[in-house]
Each structure stands twice: as C-alpha cells, then as structure tokens.
Amino acid sequence: MSGNSDDSANLNAAEHENGYDHDQDSLTVPLLSIQRSTPNNTSQVAIVGASICPIESLDYEIFENEFFKQDWRSREKIHIFQYIFMKWLLAFLIGLIVSLIGFCNNLAVENLAGVKFVVTSNMMLKGRYGIAFLVFSLSNLVLTLFASMITAFISPEAAGSGIPEVKAYLNGVDAPGIFSLRTLVVKVVGSVTAVSSSLLIGKAGPMVHTGACVASLLGQGGSRRYGLTWRWLRFFKNDRDRRDLVTCGAAAGIAASFRSPVGGVLFALEEMSSWWRSALLWRSFFSTAVVAIVLRALIDVCLSGKCGLFGTGGLIMFDVYSASISYHLVDVPPVLVLGVVGGILGSLYNFLLDKVLRLYNIINEKSAAYRIFLACSISIFTSCLLFGLPWLASCRACPSDASEACPTIGRSGNYKKFQCLPDQYNDLASLIFNTNDDAIRNLFSKNTDDEFHYSSMGVFFVTCFFLSIFSYGIVAPAGLFVPVIVTGASYGRFVGMLIGSHSNLNHGLYAVLGAASFLGGSMRMTVSLCVIILELTNNLLLLPLIMLVLLVSKTVADAFNGNIYDLIMKLKGFPYLETHAEPYMRQLTVGDVVTGPLQLFSGIEKVGNILHVLRNTKHNGFPVIDEPPISETPVLFGIILRAHLITLLKKKAFLSSPVRSNIDAFKQFSSVDFAKRGSGNGDRIEDIELTEEEKEMFIDLHPFTNASPYTVVETMSLAKALILFREVGLRHLLVIPKISGRSPVVGILTRHDFMPEHILSLHPLLEKSKWKRLRIRFPLLRKMF
Amino acid sequence: MSGNSDDSANLNAAEHENGYDHDQDSLTVPLLSIQRSTPNNTSQVAIVGASICPIESLDYEIFENEFFKQDWRSREKIHIFQYIFMKWLLAFLIGLIVSLIGFCNNLAVENLAGVKFVVTSNMMLKGRYGIAFLVFSLSNLVLTLFASMITAFISPEAAGSGIPEVKAYLNGVDAPGIFSLRTLVVKVVGSVTAVSSSLLIGKAGPMVHTGACVASLLGQGGSRRYGLTWRWLRFFKNDRDRRDLVTCGAAAGIAASFRSPVGGVLFALEEMSSWWRSALLWRSFFSTAVVAIVLRALIDVCLSGKCGLFGTGGLIMFDVYSASISYHLVDVPPVLVLGVVGGILGSLYNFLLDKVLRLYNIINEKSAAYRIFLACSISIFTSCLLFGLPWLASCRACPSDASEACPTIGRSGNYKKFQCLPDQYNDLASLIFNTNDDAIRNLFSKNTDDEFHYSSMGVFFVTCFFLSIFSYGIVAPAGLFVPVIVTGASYGRFVGMLIGSHSNLNHGLYAVLGAASFLGGSMRMTVSLCVIILELTNNLLLLPLIMLVLLVSKTVADAFNGNIYDLIMKLKGFPYLETHAEPYMRQLTVGDVVTGPLQLFSGIEKVGNILHVLRNTKHNGFPVIDEPPISETPVLFGIILRAHLITLLKKKAFLSSPVRSNIDAFKQFSSVDFAKRGSGNGDRIEDIELTEEEKEMFIDLHPFTNASPYTVVETMSLAKALILFREVGLRHLLVIPKISGRSPVVGILTRHDFMPEHILSLHPLLEKSKWKRLRIRFPLLRKMF
C-alpha cells in the first residue's frame, strides 16, 4: 500500500520467508541485518466524518515516572473520594444530558416533520396536489440544505453516523475535533433537520456520537476558558478516564434512541468498546438507568398532550406487543427462512453501501459545494419518490372494524388518505409518506393483517433498501439503525403476508423478526440487538424467536462479508487494532516489522538537541538511555512522551551542567502541567522559543521518564507482541535486542506497525498466507464494481 | 503469611522502601543484590468443595514453538472447518444437555418434595400431627443424609455452590477433580436430594457448576477409554478452548436455572469470566438460546399435565407480572429505602456467612463423619423450624374473592391449611411449609395484599435469613441464589406491607424489588441480576425500578465488604488474580518479589539432568538458555513446559551427542502427543523409567521450546507486570536482567508471586500502604468474632 518501502527490505524479508522452514540457525543470527530507515507512513491519516484528517494514538498506558509516583503518594483520602464522587457525578450528568438531548431531538423531529406532513396533507385534501408536492419537496430541500451546509462548513466531523469514529476512539485512535463542542452542536442540529427532511436516515447513530461528545466535553469540563470545577476534574485529564466516559456516553446514546437501557450497555460492550472492565459495566449501566428514568418522566409529561404532535406519536418506544403471544414448533421454519434471507440481504446491503460510499468519497473529496450538491440531489430524489410512488398504489376501502380513524387525517396513523376517496386509504402512502418512526409503528402493528397489499409492501421494501444505501453517505449526520429497521420490517412483513395463515404469528410479529434479521445481517451484533429489540417491543416472550433469527442471519451474513461498521472504518482508513493476530504474523518476528529511524535521548540531555528532535520528527515517544558516565554501559532507562518534553521545555527547568538534578525539580511542576488536554488543545513545539544560551543547557529527564516501559525481545513473534500491545492497550512498545552489546533499544512499535497494510507492504510474499475467513466470494460481482 | 521468608530479604526490601524517595541512584544499581532462595509456597493449596487440594495454574498463553508452527502450517482448510464446526456443535450440545439436566432436576425436586408435602398434609388433615412431623423430618433427614454421604465419600469437590471454583477456573486456577464425571453425577443427584429435603439452599449455583462440568467433559469428550470422536476434538485439548467451553457452560447453567438466556450470558460475563471476547459472547448466547428453546418445548409438554406435580407448579419461571403496571415519582422514595436497607442486610449477610463458613471449616476439617453429622443436624433443625413455626401463626379466614382454592389441599398454592379449620388458612405455613419455589411465587403474587400478617412475614424473614446462612456450608451441593431471593422477597413484602396504601405498587412488586435489593447487596452484580429478574418476572416495565434498587443496594453494600463469591474464594484460598494492581505494587519492582531457586536448561540438555530436575522440583516452566558453543554468549532462547518435557522423555527421542538435531524430530511426534489432557490425566514424571545409558544421552529442546516468551526487565514496576500478566493471561513471566553480563534470566514470575499475601510477607512494611477501599469498618464487631 505505501509506495515507499525500500526494495532491499522486501528482498531481505523474502529471503527470510523462504528460508524459514529449513534454516533453523537463522533464529540465532540477528534478523535486522539491514536496519530499515523508512518511516512507516501508512495509516497516519483517515477520513473523519467527511474530511481527511491526521490521526494520533491515545495513551492508555499508566505512565509510571518518579514525578507521578511522588504526586500519587502525596494524594490524600479526600482526593480518592473526589475522584470516585466525580466519576459517578459525571456518569449521572452524561445520562441526564443525553436523555434531554434525545428527548428534544425527538420532539423537534416529530414537530418539524409533523407540521410538514399536516400542511401537505391539508393541501391534498383540497386537491391541490401540485402545490402540495412543491411545498413538500421545497421544505425537504431547505432542511437538507441547512443540515449539509452546517456540516460541510462548520464541522465536517459531524457527518455520517459517528459510530465508526467513536469505535475507533475507543480502540485508541484519536481523530481531531470529533468531540468538540462545535461537532456536538452540528451533530444535534444537523441530525434534527436531516431526519425532518424525510431523508431515509436514522438518528440512533448520531445519538451515539452525541453521547460520546457530551461525555468527552464533561470530562474536559469547564476548560481553562471558563475555569469551572478545575480542581475536581483534574483526575480526568487523561485518556484512560476519558475512554471510560466516552463508553458511558455511547451507551447512553443508544439508550436514549431506543429507550433501551440494558440494550445500550450491551451495545457499548459488544460493538463499541475495545477494552472493558466490570466496573465500567456498572457505571455505564448507571448512565443508561438515568436515561431511562428521565425519558420515562418526560414522556409521562408528553402523554398529557403538552408536546405538540409528539404526544400523539409516543415515539422512541414501539411497545406494540404487550399482549401475550403464542407460537409453536411449526413457526420455526418460516423464522429460519427469514433469518437466512435476512443474512443474505444484510450482507448485500453492506456490500452495496461500501461501493456507494467509495463512489461518494470521490465526489466528497472535491469541494464542499460538491458535497452539498450531492445532498440536495438525494433530497430532491427522495421527495419525488415519497410523493410519486403512492400514486402507483390503488386505493383500498377502509376496514369496518378499524381500531382507529380511517382514513387518518391531520395526524400520524395507519391509514393515510393521500389521493383517495373519503372512505378509502392508500396503503403505500401509510408507509412511505410518513415519518420513519410512524412507518415502523405501522409495520409492527398487529391486527392489521389485511392493511397492506403485496405490491405496496414490495415497492416499499425495494425503495427503502436502495434509498437508505444512497442516503447514508451524504454530508449530514445520518444513522443506519432506523433505515435498516424499516427495510427489515418491510421485508419481514412481506414474508409474513406470503406465509399468511400457515403460521400462528401475525404480520406485525413477522415485521419485528424481519427487522431483527436485517439488523443481524448488516450489523452482526447478537446479544445487544436482541435486547434492544426486546426493549423496543416490550415483550420477553419473543426472546427465543429473536435469538434464533439473529443467530441465523449473522451466521449467514458472516459467510459473505464483515460488519457494516468495520467496513466503514476500513474505508475511512482508521488504524483499528483487532483483538486477534492474523496467522501470518506468527511467521514474523518483531524485528521484521520495526522501521527506523529511531530517536534516542540521554538521561541528561541537551536542551537544543531535544528542541531539534521535537521539531524535526513527529514521534510521540522517545527511549531514554543512560550512558557512561551515568552507568557503566548504555542501559535503557525508559521512555518519555513528546507532550511531557514540551512541558519541560516550556517551564524551562534547565540545568547548567550535565549532572543529575536534586529533588527540587518536583517543586517546579504540578501534575496539572502534565495533564493531557482535550484533543487539539495541547501545546505545540512551534510555540516554544528558546534563547541560544538556553539551548546549551541540559534537562534531567529521569524524573519524567516512564521507567517501566513494556518491552519485547526482537525475536518475539509478531503475533504475540500484538496480543501484548492490544490487551494491555499500549501506544509504544519498545523492542530490545536479543544479544546485548548493541544499542539497548532496537526500535519502537506503534499501532501503525501492526497494520496489515504495513506488514504486507514489507513482506509481500505473505499475502498468500493471509487469513481466509472461509468466506464465499463472487469474483464476477467484484469485477463488475 | 508464609513463615519462611528469610529476614535478609525483608531487610533488603525495607531498606529499599525507606530509601525510595530520596535515593534516586538506587534505580541504577541492581535491586536484587541478595538473590532470594526461598521458594514461594503461599497459595499452592486451596479448599475445593469440601476438601483441601493442591492447585495448578492453567496455560492460556499461545505456545509458539517450532513444532507447533510446523504442525499449524500443515493444517488444511478442512481442519479449520472442523474446528469451527466443532465449536458450534459443542455449544449446541452444552445447551441441550444442560437444559435437559435442568429440566430433570426441577422435575425430580418438584415431585420428591411434592410427594413429601402431600403425604404430610394428608396426615395433618386427619389430625395426626405427631406422625406427620415424624414422616416430614425423617424423609428430610434421609434425603440430606444421602446427599451429604455421596458428597463426602464420592466427590467432596461437589459440595457448595461451585460458583467460586468455576470462577477461579476461569481466572486460571485449576483445582483437580472439579470437572470430573464423578463430580457431575454427585452434583446433580446431591442437589436434587438436598433441595428436596427442604433445606434452605438453592439449585442455581449447582446448575452453574453442572453446566461447567458438562462443558469441560464434552471438550475432553470420549477420552482415550472410549475412543470417541478423537480426531475432531483434538483441537480442543488445550486450556484456552476449554475455558471458552466452561464459560458457555456456566452461562447455560444460569439460563437453565432461571429460564433466563440473556441473564445467563450476562452473568457469565459480569461475574464468572476473567477474560472475555466478543466471539465468546456470541457463542455463549447460542448455548443459552438452545437452553431457552428446549426448556420452552419441555414446559409446553409438561403444561399438558404429563409431568406429575411439576405441571401444576410451572416452576423455573415466576412470570407473575404479565399485566401492565404503573408507578410514579412518589414511588421512588420507598424504593430507595428498600435499596439502602437491602444493601445493609446484604453486606451483613455476607459478613455472617463468612464467619459461619470459617466455623464450619474447623468442623469439616476433622473427618467425613463430622461433616455428615453437621449436615444432619442442620436438616433436623430445619425440619423442626418448618413444622414448628407455623403453629405460632394464628389462622386467618379465607378471602371470599380468592382467585384460587382456599385452603389449598394436596397441591401447591397460596393458602396452606396446616392446622386450621376448613375455611381458614395459615399464612406462615403458606410460606414456610412449602418448597422454596412456591414460597417465592406466593411472595411475588399480586392481588394478595391482605394474605399475610406482619408477624408471619417478619418471622419468615428472620428464619430465612439465618437458616440460609447456616445451611450453605454443609457438605452437599448448595446454591445461594434461591435463599437470597426468598429472604429478599420476604423483606421486600414486609416493607410493602408497612407502606401499605401510600404507594401505587402492590405488595408482590415490593417482594420483587426486595429480592433485587438483597441480591444486589449480597452478590453485587448489576446488569446480569437486573436482566435475570426481568426475565424471571417477565415484565420490562419494572426495569427502571429494578435498576434503581440494584444500584443503591450495591453501592451501600460495597461500603461495608466485598461480594459474596469473592469472600468465599478468599476463604477457600484460591489464588485469584484481580484485574487491578494494588497501589503498593507500584512501589515495588519485579525484582523485589522474584524468589528462587531458578532452574535453567541448555538448548541441548542431558537427559539425566532433565529427569533429575523434573523429579526434584514442581516447577511447570523452565527457561532454555543457549550457551557457547551454540551462541557466543549465554542467550535466552525461550521457555519449555514440564508436560512437554515429560512427553519428550516418554517418547525417548534422544540424541547421542550434543548437536542440533535435524528436521526428523518433527516426524517422531504428532501434535496430539503435546495436547493437554483433562486435569489429573496428564503423564507423571514418576512413571518414566530410563536406563543409565539413556540418561547419558541428549535432547535438542529447541523445536519444543516456546521461543517467544513474554519478558519483563527486572526494574519494571510490579503493578505494570501484573497488568501484563493478567491481561494477556500468562502462567509464566520471565524476568530478564537490566544490565547484561549476568545470566540472561533473573527469574520467573507466576500467579503466586502476585498474591498480596506473598508480597506482604516479603515486604511487611508495605502493609500500611495497602489499598483502603474507603470502607466503613466496625472494629467492635470484628473483635467480637
């Protein structure tokens, strides 16, 4: 992939690979006979939201230097109490704020879209179809334009669902700006307007990103500018605590979208997080419990009719199955069929979405104007479809025993009048000329087995399937959950209609199972989706059927391709570290992938030297070596971080001669100086100005160097080094030589060195032994695209 | 703790500790100036079930030697397919077998206990109270005697709940015999008889152990004796795959106990497992889904009345809340009170149980006769209480609008007649003279607000609380879930009765919340308990209240002591590795805790030497060093396992001269030779006989040595070494010197070296900086016991 790997290195690797099985002695000769000097530039940038950004790794490792140890020893019990109290307070605040945002979000969408549909319907009642279409499509266009403009110009990071970005963040990839206040505002406002504009996009994904944003901002809380609660938050100025907060935020986001507290926690656990602790389970559960309680209280208020059109919709929770249901073994085969077809459709969906996103990337790369134009085209196209397609459906007579008004006029409901006569309704309009939430509710509704015609359901399914693929990639906050649920539900209901009376299950139940199968086929989660669907439909008796359909659809879909979020992350270029090593990594040693040049510092280093190195490299960690006269032979002392070096330079705690400093150094600094600020707020080396005299002075790096870095011997298998790197959550892994006598450090491994593209570019012959996931491939299909 | 740590080492450590803050230079001088020669003997034995056993660690590390790499490269696609297929087949079989066992278990208990109660009740109807008591207490005694005898004589490992043993196994502690067929049979039969004997013990814990047993036996499946499916199971002959299976088994066990598939998975995740992967989530979910589906089918069969007394009970699932419920903010304060008191009671319960178990251990240590005598005494005491206490309650008139027959005669029901007149019932007997499942169902039942009197409920609560504490430690399979649920439900219902009409919630709901609060206070799980209770009661609308009560009770209880299973594990002496390092570990380096003597092997080692070392030490891993002439200086090549050395000795693949062997060595062995057998089935060094001539020969250890061992430098902080050890799941961690020139290995760290008792015995001065969990202590209470 990277074009600049030198040939000699490859040749060396190839020789090594060929000689691997026969030449046993090769293990005792140093493998790094040719010291590579090419820096590893693969995967240093990625597409964040809609624009290309440089990315950094996060520091999850506990940084044990003398200074921090000293600081830690000086902490009192009150500080531990403060820390624990703040953890819980922040978890509470995350839940509270996310639930309020989620509620306002729904309220705004329901009222914006509601007013739009009421006005349009009223015009159609009067027969003014042309003007109705104009109003409908123009209002959609204006809303989409607004959403895409704020996204493109104010915060491109807010585009898309945000789940891939948050997932990458929780894996240790820091993309600038994804958790800024600007992104939060654009995400919320953009999501409301984009969803209101009748585009087939969801609001769950953006809610996850919103939750993560809220959590991250709370953790940074009251930055310097406002000086709020500074002292109590100081313990959260590191990536470990921030990761925990963001996990809680993501869980709260899903909980607020679906009013599904347990599902939210499980989603964060199963899909989002890369590291998980039992304590975090508890804390994120607390956040989602707060979300559930607050939402329940707010919805109680709304049910009394004080929230405009919201009150009638109920929203968020589609609790349509409070009645008891029964099913028997005869119902299992159709459910299995549903699972298999859902798996195939889901993987096809992923495949097509991937292709469309690649196409859109070419357009989006050009300029903001192109992006906005694309969004507007999709909006106009959608408006035409939504308004045009119902005309294809024939009007149906209202059922005499309908449980609600038929046709429904001026509010959400099952029986849309559209162009029909007073006692008739248009079944396709009930689905398509409606908000997504109402469409889902109609599809899930029971005792409406005769409401829809085959052709309407088929048209709706095809429309949703393709429209959602084309809508996701536009430059606006857009989620995937709701489109996938709508598509899956329509397909499930279609299958239910086909099976008809041969089954005990009603069509609404088939819609639920169809949604589950399509979600399973596309997103490949099991336990969390199962719980989310249970909490959505509020009936535990469905559990075995939903489990079955999810397991089947996931298994079938996994035979074809990967999970949708992983595909998007790969497309965006995030250096996501997988849990498992690929088999070819077992055939390589750590020494085979380490690339240079390596920058070392002495224990007591010249200021000018540090300044020069920091200005001329982008490395984030530097090994510190004790050399004679401090020690007898060169010995690895530890590793020091760029940010800490910058702080040292900024504070100018210099020594005039290269001798070890005394204890005074500790008094010049406080731990706050070394606290990690929010992404993008750190000090930059370019801002530091030193006089020539200062440059000739020295710094004693010992107290600020992490004296316990994780190390691997250069002959360590790459697969096992990856396991260490991933499980412990490292940013830098020092490689030490097997035979002493040379430099005490051979190199540093970072996240990028474990990326398959990098390894395969160094050792192209390994490509053939790449892990085949026993997947079914369609060479013809791949050639076509 | 261990009395044999030598004083010089302690002195050295104390000096080091005192000089830590001031003497910066100490970091550059080797810390291990005095090489310790005391082996670490702490925590090598533990109480497994009811007897003391030696324990071993498990090998979760991927063992990368040339031989395995060769073997792995020779694997074909069909092998990968076999492996994946077998994984799923085993998950399916675990689900199927566990659900069948669970069903039969319930069927047997319900019928055994049912017959007993019917016979006794019939005698009481005829006024023959004396003979009724005799029959009741004698049948209880016989059942208890049987359960305790098979446990004491056939398989002491089957005593208790088994959850601590399984939890320790999943943490990497291998106790012999816990997963043998013998244990499985005793666990199932003993649990059925013990529960039927009206002891206040549960069957959920034993089901978890049963599930784990089934899983482990399936993984070992058809051992050599039967020669079944040998080839397909060969990939499962290692601790990693066995761990996954046992996790699935534990999840299936909980799922079968409570018919709670999602709860089972979460329980395994939150409480049981120490390492968790997303793939495992999915697989264990599959197992529990199978359990749920099979149980549902079996219960459908039973509901048609073909299962004796079982059909009328319904059992397993207490789905008492299918109706919709409503609650408001005014109901929150009583729920909070419930949570607080539940937390206090739960921690008191843990405290008392811990003390009683310590007392019982003294008795149990003496002999099997003492153990059986203890069990029988508890049985007689229980019989007296169950039969005697209802006489204290006054008879109450049957309600005119009772939904079921009153008094209930000859079957389970809410209104037990006991000694009362024909139109009356004894409310205390309805609770206490009943199976535990029926008592829970009565407590959870709604529309029965006037059924119980305050005094009856109070007596029942106190009886349950203390009886369950005294019943758990007997030598029979005994769980804690059901006793805790009964006690909590009685307490909750009591609170509900006190609050009375001031609340919208009915008393049955208070019982559910009380059970939740007591579970939370004692077991300290949150998400899994929440889901289990939801699945038990089948009403999602309870969710916010249950979440709230669980969070409050856990928080309150955590202020006093630890979770019940952790207390029991500590009491039993399992060397359980916590996720987090204790703060004092930050003040130590790895070199401070390494103890000798260290046994090394050369790359090409003399057979007699290996035999001698294996016979005279109990170590499980030996560093392999390449010395001149093989390399220029002594170099660490890797680590070799005892089991692999024994295999090499057994196969007698010896060399006549110390030169590196050629490729032929691979042909003499197959990977099956090196497969890990079930616990206790491995080859023993004592069985190997070699001639004097053979002892003079050599073995080339290189192809069988793990050439990629994880290493840490001796100056590494102990806390960070622990994180590496725990996260990666190691058994041996090699310590290498900071300054070369000495031996290339300083020592080996194992699980036992990270145990707080060991560290604090080496460095007693650290005791004062031990982690204080901000817990409330009662010095007076501690002195009393």
Side-chain angles (χ1 to χ4, degrees), chain A residues 20 61-62 64 69 72-73 269 282 285 526 538 540 547 551 583 636 706 708 710 717 720 724 738, chain B residues 20-21 61-62 64 69 72 269 282 285 526 538 540 547 551 583 636 708 710 717 720 724 738:
Chain A
Y20 199 73
E61 190 185 343
I62 294 168
E64 286 205 349
K69 278 191 191 168
W72 183 83
R73 275 194 289 265
L269 164 64
W282 189 27
F285 188 51
T526 49
N538 196 27
L540 276 167
M547 282 174 123
L551 284 168
L636 173 67
N706 178 3
S708 299
Y710 287 100
S717 123
K720 295 187 80 172
L724 164 61
K738 188 180 183 77
Chain B
Y20 200 73
D21 296 346
E61 190 185 342
I62 294 168
E64 286 206 348
K69 277 191 192 168
W72 183 83
L269 164 65
W282 189 28
F285 188 51
T526 48
N538 197 28
L540 276 167
M547 282 174 124
L551 285 168
L636 173 67
S708 298
Y710 287 100
S717 125
K720 294 186 81 171
L724 163 60
K738 188 181 183 77

Side-chain angles (χ1 to χ4, degrees), chain A residues 582-593:
Chain A
E582 300 250 5
Y584 60 77
M585 292 183 186
R586 285 192 179 189
Q587 303 182 36
L588 294 174
T589 65
V590 163
D592 293 335
V593 297

